[in-house]
Amino acid sequence: MAEKGKYNTKQQTIILRCLKQNKEMFCTVDQFMESFHIEGVHIGRTTVYRALERLHKEGIVLKIPSVEGAPAQYRFIEEDKRKNYGKLVCLKCGRAIPLQCGCIDNFFGHILEEHKFELDQGHTILYGYCEECRTNTF
């Protein structure tokens, strides 16, 4: 029996398959819709948005929110990288690097002590550029 509140539909299975096929890159909803169109699969845009948001909340999908008019982007996260720690995400290549080091613990402690705000490490994402993209770009 499925966990309470979780269910799988044929459309959600197709969306998850598409995410896994494109796991090395971030995709917009428009890109998913184009992929489904090419495959002859009919899934409503609202269904795609809802499924991606649900998968994001479950920690299966990494989401780069909409910034400066650009659409939100989504990427599948491999199971071994879904641990309850933050991530560094390269805005150019989409690489997601687990954020686990003593310095981040100090940062979280600082935020809690000085600002009286507790960060959720499992939902912390810092965006920037990985070493390879910085070397090739700058």
Side-chain angles (χ1 to χ4, degrees):
M1 185 172 179
E3 291 179 49
K4 184 178 180 184
K6 292 188 179 185
Y7 57 92
N8 260 338
T9 65
K10 181 179 175 185
Q11 291 90 350
Q12 289 170 343
T13 301
I14 292 168
I15 292 166
L16 190 55
R17 179 181 46 81
C18 187
L19 280 160
K20 288 178 180 180
Q21 288 173 342
N22 296 294
K23 66 183 177 185
E24 297 301 320
M25 59 188 269
F26 282 93
C27 296
T28 65
V29 169
D30 285 341
Q31 289 169 315
F32 284 110
M33 297 303 291
E34 178 65 23
S35 177
F36 298 144
H37 177 74
I38 290 169
E39 293 178 22
V41 175
H42 301 286
I43 300 177
R45 182 176 293 273
T46 302
T47 300
V48 174
Y49 273 113
R50 286 182 182 156
L52 290 170
E53 287 301 316
R54 181 182 63 80
L55 292 167
H56 171 64
K57 286 179 182 173
E58 292 175 8
I60 297 169
V61 168
L62 185 61
K63 176 184 177 183
I64 295 180
S66 177
V67 178
E68 297 179 10
Q73 299 177 56
Y74 303 86
R75 179 179 173 205
F76 179 75
I77 303 174
E78 295 288 345
E79 192 166 347
D80 63 333
K81 294 188 170 109
R82 293 183 201 159
K83 309 247 187 299
N84 192 28
Y85 41 75
K87 293 167 189 62
L88 302 172
V89 176
C90 181
L91 290 167
K92 183 169 184 182
C93 70
R95 182 174 172 211
I97 303 165
L99 182 58
Q100 26 175 186
C101 73
C103 293
I104 196 68
D105 293 334
N106 292 335
F107 175 70
F108 277 73
H110 166 82
I111 296 297
L112 182 60
E113 292 298 316
E114 296 296 320
H115 304 281
K116 309 299 183 228
F117 188 85
E118 185 174 5
L119 294 169
D120 177 353
Q121 191 168 357
H123 288 93
T124 300
I125 301 172
L126 300 174
Y127 300 99
Y129 298 92
C130 70
E131 182 177 14
E132 186 175 323
C133 289
R134 280 193 343 269
T135 302
N136 294 334
T137 304
F138 302 112

